[in-house]
Amino acid sequence: MEHTIPEKHYLNEATGWKSWLMTLDHKRIGILYMIMVMFSFFLGGVFALLIRWELLSPDKILMGPEMYNQAFSLHGIIMIFLFIIPSIPAILGNFVMPLMIGAKDVAFPRLNLASWYIYVIGFCFAVYALFTGGIDTGWTFYTPYSSESTTAVIPILTAAFVLGFSSIFTGLNFIVTIHRLRAPGMTWFQLPLFVWAIYATALIQVLATPVLGITLALLMLERVVGIGIFDPAMGGDPVLFQHFFWFYSHPAVYIMILPGMGIISELIATFSHRRIFGYKFIAFSSLGIAFTGFLVWGHHMFVSGQSDLAAVIFSFLTFFVGIPSGIKILNWIATMYKGSISLDTPMLWALSFLILFSIGGFTGIVLGTLSIDVHLHDTYFVVSHFHYVMVGGTVMAIFGGLHYWWPKIWGRMYNETLARIAVVMIFVGFNITFFVQFIMGTQGMPRRYATYLPQFQGMHGFSSIGALIMGVGFLLIAIYLIYAIFKGKPAGPNPWRALTMEWETPSPPTAGNFEGQPILEHGPYDYDKVIPENALKPYKTI
Amino acid sequence: MSQITEHPAHLQHHFTDVHQQAESAKLGMWIFLLTEVLLFGGLFCFYAIYRSWNPDMFHNAHAFLNVWMGATNTVVLIVSSLTMALAIRSMQLGKRKLTMWFLAGTVLLACVFMVIKYFEYSHKIHLGQLPGKWYFFEGIAGTNPHIFFSAYFLMTGLHGFHVLGGIGVITWLFIKTARGSFSPEYYTPIEMTGLYWHLVDLIWIFLFPLFYLIG
Amino acid sequence: MKDDAAQRHILPLNLYLAVGSGLLVLTVITVVVAQMDFGPMNLLIAMGIAVIKATLVAMFFMHLKYDNKIYMLVFSGSLLFLGVFIIFTMFDTLRRGDIYEEIAEPYLKEAVIYRKAETTTALSHPAADTSNTASDTVTSDH
Ligand code: HEM
Ligand SMILES: [Cu+2]
């Protein structure tokens, strides 16, 4: 069956750069975010490659220790605050979530656009800092060093502060949208699981981010005025800063992973052509993660000098965080069991996620064990752990989601062969880069050093090769995805034979999303009752 | 739903009816208030920890705040909260003139609050009790008394900014009301601002005993 | 129409006036009570009165009592998480140095500014001793 691109859709319904910069359409705002966030990903990636290049040898190659400190700080700050936190909610959440619930837009379109502009302002502050002294505190800004460092600490704190507001506004908007704008007949338990995940994420965004805001503001004041809260020289307590920081930043790791889990739920159900197993468990485990995520931040502080009572409580509670994530993994596997699985590109990303995120999650439990973490803290084991969850988890999910919804967003298909090559490259490259880091970590290789003992050279070199493979893989993805926007084959409304509502509109959707008010006719995963229409190709099974 | 057919000017296109629009605004506003609570929360945490570490210093330092000014300001804010609530009620009943009176009263009381704050602040600045590097005062026994004043200026200062913001918004509401933009069918902005204003009052209700009445 | 029920509770004027006067009376009470000394109960009493006042404002001025319960949930949620933040942080700050009774030295000698010799005796809580100079606790665990 041949498809054509509809004549009028949201991309051509108005033209000119003004129609983009002033747009209130959630789909266009999603694309504006995509441009900025992916550019940040590129920037962060450049710094990553610089770091790995330097680590090819214990001697100086490109940069001395000071420069190295700047490189990993900028890598972390860009990747966390500019890329991974906004990534899935602001791009795919913005684009897909209103379509999924059958709404014409988000509840507050103006606020939505404002959040993008605020993001751009934050981005500018970060770039400004980059050119006025850089930053060498690490993305965690720990005191007392951050109150003394002579680099551009204030601009970078301002950047993170401003970006926080962008995140809050997105979260606020989504909560209200999901509560108030669902299509008639769509109950909470007929929401696609991606929407549940976005909802739980949004709760964390509004609850945790204000605390980050006040923390960064206090740190700035500490530098400028010396208010005596975090700086020991003024009678403050640097460990208190870590509490403030991690009260936001542990929940923030769930801002990063929860929407990814939401994408994975969609992918697994669609490509297994099977009703998702344990819908309610998956939905509620998202809320469970959001809640328990607030009770464990002290596991980042086991060797900071916090009280022993606190350390024991935080270690104990950390074990519970694994439960809701485990529930999800089990349900996804049960969904695939006896499904008719198609191994299209998005599904390959989902399978990578399952493997890599599981490794990341389990090593998290290892690190949450107080007595073990005392040894592993601040080693490459931690570096590897969080890359397995953030890259192995979130980045796999976002690329899975992009490949899944690309035909919806642009109406055109990418080259499937190249896409499969890319996903394999990333998966292999990722494991080469990071698996050895677990080993180095257990052998005592500390993180954040420009040099190392000679015995680590082999493993560091191995790791750097993996990074290069990943870098090439991501470039390849950028090339064929952008090519597909202009030259791809028209995809038709529902190329994957999925049942969620966004596939009922044309691809690309019309400016108002749906003709009239859509009515819910079946649940999002009723594969046992409904045969999806408009399929581009027949089922492929393994 | 019968009212879909009528399409009032204030209804935005992506809502099906005014009810949905109003309830969305209200939920959004409450979530905004939640973020405000957590924003102030960081400062409350700061306060709680340093007070628990230095109870005597906090006691000694608080003697330099003027209870009567604080109490007066509490009364002023409570009354302004009342006038704000009554402004909404008047608009619900369609009494536009009365609404304007109550809004004006609210702004006036908020200004009184700021004037009193001004006198308190300038007295402390005069004594050298500004936080951090700018702290020169010698007369308080205890460890690091400047931290008490850090907490004091940060918390009342952030609160003061919220009062200033409130003054701006309520003035704007006053003008809109005068122009007849609101009616018993549509007064969402007044209602939302009311919620905000009550939260500002509510935070002050805690700041007052925490700073002025340390036992 | 369900709109009216959900959206517009026109409360009687007297109710507003009663709540307002209640708040004023409580303000007077809290100031008067603060002039007397109940020892450790001082803080509890002051906070108790503040909580009552806050509840009045939230319930009546902010209409929580009459509105959809979701708004109540949002508001209590904010307080719950704020409570978690403060209490869990205090698990640390109030119990530093429980196991290892080390006497740590501040690593910056000038760390404590404005310390007055006469007050170091008066502190009551055990944690307070070590954390006069917050900096000394940093080194205590190594
Ligand atoms: C099963 C769930 C998880 C557990 C139990 C867990 C546990 C931990 C622990 C104990 C640490 C501290 C290690 C140390 O510094 O010594 C840590 C670090 C970290 N985790 Fe996880 N984690 C989990 C999931 C995640 C997820 C989903 C993400 C992000 C998507 C994440 C991101 C990070 C980051 C960024 C750090 C390092 C922070 C830094 O020091 O720079 N974790 N994790
Ligand atoms: Cu954590």
Side-chain angles (χ1 to χ4, degrees):
Chain A
M1 188 165 42
E2 279 300 316
H3 293 287
T4 49
I5 300 281
E7 225 164 77
K8 273 264 165 245
H9 49 78
Y10 79 101
L11 289 167
N12 66 8
E13 137 266 357
T15 48
W17 56 270
K18 242 185 156 171
S19 77
W20 281 88
L21 291 183
M22 295 305 199
T23 182
L24 296 180
D25 184 340
H26 67 100
K27 300 184 288 302
R28 284 184 165 214
I29 294 173
I31 288 178
L32 291 178
Y33 262 116
M34 187 192 293
I35 295 167
M36 292 301 292
V37 170
M38 284 299 156
F39 181 65
S40 305
F41 183 54
F42 171 75
L43 272 186
V46 170
F47 282 108
L49 289 176
L50 287 177
I51 295 171
R52 283 316 323 167
W53 185 266
E54 175 60 40
L55 291 176
L56 276 172
S57 148
D59 307 320
K60 176 177 167 180
I61 301 177
L62 289 175
M63 21 183 183
E66 276 82 26
M67 272 291 275
Y68 183 83
N69 291 348
Q70 299 231 352
F72 76 70
S73 302
L74 280 163
H75 165 68
I77 291 167
I78 293 175
M79 284 301 197
I80 299 273
F81 293 110
L82 285 166
F83 167 63
I84 201 166
I85 298 257
S87 64
I88 300 181
I91 302 173
L92 293 172
N94 244 327
F95 195 100
V96 183
M97 184 271 285
L99 287 169
M100 278 185 154
I101 64 174
K104 290 202 191 82
D105 207 324
V106 292
F108 309 114
R110 261 172 243 283
L111 190 67
N112 203 13
L113 182 64
S115 86
W116 182 75
Y117 276 102
I118 295 171
Y119 174 92
V120 174
I121 295 172
F123 182 91
C124 293
F125 271 109
V127 173
Y128 173 77
L130 185 64
F131 289 110
T132 54
I135 176 83
D136 64 354
T137 60
W139 75 281
T140 47
F141 312 121
Y142 275 9
T143 47
Y145 183 62
S146 58
S147 45
E148 285 162 20
S149 166
T150 52
T151 50
V153 177
I154 302 263
I156 207 79
L157 291 177
T158 316
F161 180 83
V162 170
L163 290 167
F165 280 93
S166 165
S167 180
I168 291 177
F169 290 157
T170 305
L172 189 157
N173 219 335
F174 286 1
I175 295 179
V176 178
T177 307
I178 296 170
H179 267 279
R180 297 286 183 238
L181 294 186
R182 300 191 308 273
M186 184 178 268
T187 63
W188 281 87
F189 293 120
Q190 282 158 341
L191 289 177
L193 287 164
F194 179 66
V195 178
W196 271 100
I198 286 285
Y199 181 75
T201 309
L203 288 179
I204 309 180
Q205 283 175 305
V206 297
L207 280 166
T209 320
V211 177
L212 175 76
I214 196 75
T215 307
L216 299 179
L218 286 170
L219 182 52
M220 286 189 251
L221 285 167
E222 185 72 289
R223 267 182 81 94
V224 179
V225 190
I227 51 174
I229 170 171
F230 300 137
D231 185 357
M234 296 302 283
D237 178 24
V239 178
L240 195 59
F241 175 80
Q242 299 189 20
H243 282 295
F244 274 61
F245 182 80
W246 288 110
F247 178 82
Y248 165 75
S249 291
H250 183 80
V253 308
Y254 295 106
I255 299 180
M256 308 171 199
I257 197 70
L258 269 171
M261 293 170 155
I263 293 181
I264 300 303
S265 301
E266 299 302 327
L267 299 186
I268 301 252
T270 303
F271 293 98
S272 303
H273 306 287
R274 191 149 177 265
R275 172 180 287 281
I276 192 119
F277 187 86
Y279 174 94
K280 284 195 182 171
F281 280 94
I282 298 183
F284 282 120
S285 65
S286 291
L287 296 183
I289 287 177
F291 180 73
T292 45
F294 275 95
L295 309 178
V296 299
W297 76 81
H299 63 214
H300 297 271
M301 303 169 55
F302 287 151
V303 300
S304 68
Q306 71 175 337
S307 79
D308 307 284
L309 175 73
V312 169
I313 292 177
F314 281 126
S315 179
F316 177 74
L317 290 174
T318 296
F319 294 118
F320 292 94
V321 188
I323 297 175
S325 311
I327 290 178
K328 282 183 195 280
I329 303 257
L330 291 181
N331 281 306
W332 291 326
I333 294 175
T335 306
M336 291 194 287
Y337 179 66
K338 290 195 171 167
S340 45
I341 299 175
S342 335
L343 287 179
D344 294 293
T345 311
M347 186 63 172
L348 295 179
W349 288 102
L351 294 177
S352 311
F353 175 100
L354 282 190
I355 298 167
L356 301 177
F357 176 73
S358 301
I359 297 176
F362 276 125
T363 51
I365 303 287
V366 172
L367 289 172
T369 314
L370 179 50
S371 52
I372 298 182
D373 187 67
V374 170
H375 300 281
L376 290 178
H377 176 72
D378 266 350
T379 67
Y380 264 65
F381 193 92
V382 175
V383 176
S384 194
H385 153 70
F386 66 72
H387 281 91
Y388 265 85
V389 273
M390 297 203 290
V391 182
T394 309
V395 175
M396 296 298 142
I398 181 165
F399 277 95
L402 282 177
H403 283 84
Y404 181 58
W405 282 301
W406 207 252
K408 176 56 57 185
I409 298 176
W410 305 105
R412 292 176 190 273
M413 244 345 182
Y414 44 83
N415 183 316
E416 179 79 17
T417 320
L418 287 178
R420 286 172 191 224
I421 294 174
V423 69
V424 172
M425 277 177 82
I426 305 275
F427 183 81
V428 173
F430 176 83
N431 281 299
I432 294 179
T433 314
F434 289 106
F435 201 83
V436 280
Q437 298 191 0
F438 281 130
I439 303 170
M440 282 195 272
T442 51
Q443 294 177 356
M445 171 72 212
R447 68 191 276 208
R448 294 183 171 171
Y449 280 84
T451 182
Y452 46 82
L453 298 177
Q455 76 229 38
F456 290 119
Q457 182 152 19
M459 282 191 273
H460 268 303
F462 193 67
S463 180
S464 295
I465 293 171
L468 194 65
I469 300 179
M470 266 207 284
V472 176
F474 282 123
L475 270 183
L476 178 62
I477 296 178
I479 292 168
Y480 70 72
L481 282 187
I482 293 174
Y483 180 83
I485 297 178
F486 303 102
K487 294 281 165 62
K489 232 172 90 200
N494 191 2
W496 314 114
R497 295 173 156 247
L499 286 180
T500 41
M501 228 179 214
E502 79 272 24
W503 302 106
E504 283 168 26
T505 61
S507 313
T510 43
N513 289 355
F514 299 93
E515 311 252 325
Q517 173 68 64
I519 307 285
L520 187 83
E521 277 160 4
H522 50 72
Y525 308 111
D526 285 348
Y527 289 99
D528 45 353
K529 298 190 197 132
V530 190
I531 296 175
E533 286 167 32
N534 298 325
L536 178 67
K537 48 183 168 175
Y539 289 162
K540 258 185 301 172
T541 51
I542 48 168
Chain B
M1 274 178 251
S2 55
Q3 69 274 39
I4 291 180
T5 40
E6 86 188 59
H7 200 289
H10 55 264
L11 178 62
Q12 291 175 299
H13 83 282
H14 59 289
F15 292 111
T16 39
D17 55 48
V18 285
H19 173 66
Q20 189 188 35
Q21 173 167 317
E23 291 289 286
S24 299
K26 202 189 263 182
L27 184 58
M29 191 63 202
W30 272 105
I31 295 170
F32 171 71
L33 297 188
L34 168 145
T35 65
E36 290 277 27
V37 168
L38 283 142
L39 185 82
F40 274 95
L43 296 177
F44 277 99
C45 188
F46 169 33
Y47 173 95
I49 281 163
Y50 281 88
R51 178 164 171 186
S52 71
W53 275 342
N54 305 303
D56 295 347
M57 180 273 280
F58 265 65
H59 187 115
N60 297 337
H62 106 283
F64 286 83
L65 305 186
N66 185 326
V67 183
W68 299 114
M69 286 196 172
T72 314
N73 256 349
T74 311
V75 171
V76 168
L77 263 199
I78 287 177
V79 177
S80 82
S81 236
L82 180 63
T83 52
M84 189 70 214
L86 292 177
I88 298 170
R89 183 175 183 275
S90 317
M91 191 40 91
Q92 287 173 324
L93 296 171
K95 299 178 182 159
R96 194 168 60 95
K97 273 273 149 47
L98 199 57
T99 310
M100 286 166 62
W101 277 110
F102 279 127
L103 288 176
T106 312
V107 171
L108 190 74
L109 288 164
C111 292
V112 172
F113 180 92
M114 290 314 291
V115 169
I116 295 181
K117 270 257 85 78
Y118 168 78
F119 284 115
E120 288 191 81
Y121 276 5
S122 47
H123 181 61
K124 282 180 195 61
I125 295 169
H126 180 72
L127 287 180
Q129 291 172 333
L130 274 174
K133 289 175 195 161
W134 301 321
Y135 186 86
F136 303 112
F137 190 66
E138 285 287 339
I140 298 175
T143 315
N144 294 333
H146 73 116
I147 294 181
F148 175 86
F149 289 97
S150 294
Y152 170 78
F153 274 105
L154 282 175
M155 295 175 82
T156 57
L158 186 61
H159 178 265
F161 273 117
H162 280 78
V163 175
L164 285 180
I167 292 177
V169 178
I170 299 170
T171 311
W172 171 75
L173 286 181
F174 179 83
I175 297 169
K176 292 270 279 187
T177 314
R179 290 203 191 128
S181 307
F182 302 124
S183 64
E185 282 73 44
Y186 175 68
Y187 54 89
T188 312
I190 310 187
E191 205 185 358
M192 301 301 110
T193 312
L195 288 177
Y196 169 83
W197 192 249
H198 297 315
L199 186 82
V200 171
D201 182 24
L202 214 150
I203 289 171
W204 183 260
I205 286 178
F206 284 95
L207 291 184
F208 173 58
L210 283 178
F211 281 107
Y212 293 80
L213 305 177
I214 297 180
Chain C
M1 273 194 301
K2 74 172 183 182
D3 295 24
D4 288 331
Q7 216 177 336
R8 238 182 283 161
H9 329 275
I10 307 187
L11 303 183
L13 181 62
N14 286 337
L15 183 65
Y16 283 119
L17 294 180
V19 172
S21 352
L23 289 169
L24 294 179
V25 172
L26 285 168
T27 308
V28 174
I29 293 179
T30 189
V31 174
V32 171
V33 170
Q35 312 307 315
M36 313 170 204
D37 190 10
F38 298 95
M41 294 297 284
N42 283 337
L43 180 63
L44 273 184
I45 296 174
M47 284 298 101
I49 297 178
V51 168
I52 299 175
K53 286 165 75 180
T55 315
L56 285 176
V57 173
M59 285 299 173
F60 297 99
F61 285 179
M62 298 170 100
H63 289 202
L64 275 186
K65 185 166 190 285
Y66 308 93
D67 253 337
N68 192 326
K69 288 294 167 271
I70 181 142
Y71 305 121
M72 182 103 81
L73 193 71
V74 172
F75 191 54
S76 359
S78 73
L79 300 178
L80 174 75
F81 285 91
L82 178 56
V84 167
F85 181 32
I86 296 180
I87 291 170
F88 277 53
T89 306
M90 285 193 154
F91 283 148
D92 169 24
T93 59
L94 292 182
R95 305 297 295 268
R96 296 251 174 100
D98 266 1
I99 294 184
Y100 306 103
E101 293 283 320
E102 296 170 31
I103 311 298
E105 287 290 311
Y107 68 86
L108 284 172
K109 270 288 174 253
E110 68 277 23
V112 181
I113 54 178
Y114 314 117
R115 186 211 283 267
K116 292 279 181 297
E118 66 272 16
T119 57
T120 41
T121 48
L123 299 166
S124 55
H125 197 280
D129 297 323
T130 49
S131 41
N132 285 337
T133 68
S135 60
D136 60 10
T137 51
V138 181
T139 48
S140 65
D141 227 2
H142 295 300

